[in-house]
Amino acid sequence: MRIWSLHPRHLDRMGLLACWRETLLAQAVLAGRTRGYRNHPQLERFRAQPDPLAAVGAYLGVVAQEAHSRGYRFDAARILSPTPVGELGAAIPVARGQLDYEWQHLGRKLRERSPDDAARWEAAGGPSTHPLFREVPGGVEPWERPAAT
């Protein structure tokens, strides 16, 4: 499961679709609708919020907006608690090291599967966060499971 801290505009088609599906799975876990993935570390930051379903709903809403801007039809009715990011209060902190880790991880994926998107990634110059998150100093988040290089 990869719930990106990066803004979904950085993702290619495959990454955006995977992000949508995997975050819907996370939503199901948080809603108690599935037995699998209950202890997945990517869920820690959502569980730490006063209303985890609203937080994941806000995340999904931004992903759905990005998909819509690209002409994809993601079914926003699948969001259990659609909440605008601005209504959640404080943004969820994400460490700069985590953003850098995800940025490099995404770059590797794009170079493997999508040269055009890899060029767009390169031209971006660096990561921007999903609007649900705010950057703070620090390394890779403790819930991350860095892949072997």
Side-chain angles (χ1 to χ4, degrees), residues 51-90:
D51 186 343
L53 281 175
V56 80
Y59 184 96
L60 282 164
V62 173
V63 174
Q65 288 172 350
E66 177 63 25
H68 179 77
S69 75
R70 297 185 194 189
Y72 304 140
R73 288 198 243 167
F74 286 14
D75 183 6
R78 297 185 68 189
I79 302 172
L80 299 178
S81 183
T83 307
V85 170
E87 289 183 15
L88 287 178

Side-chain angles (χ1 to χ4, degrees), residues 57-134:
Y59 184 96
L60 282 164
V62 173
V63 174
Q65 288 172 350
E66 177 63 25
H68 179 77
S69 75
R70 297 185 194 189
Y72 304 140
R73 288 198 243 167
F74 286 14
D75 183 6
R78 297 185 68 189
I79 302 172
L80 299 178
S81 183
T83 307
V85 170
E87 289 183 15
L88 287 178
I92 299 171
V94 61
R96 177 62 199 205
Q98 179 66 30
L99 291 170
D100 291 340
Y101 172 80
E102 290 184 22
W103 185 247
Q104 295 307 314
H105 182 66
L106 177 62
R108 285 189 300 275
K109 287 182 169 290
L110 295 177
R111 284 189 291 273
E112 290 173 9
R113 68 183 181 218
S114 179
D116 290 341
D117 288 306
R120 183 177 52 81
W121 172 87
E122 189 85 29
S128 56
T129 62
H130 183 291
L132 181 61
F133 303 111
R134 70 175 160 76

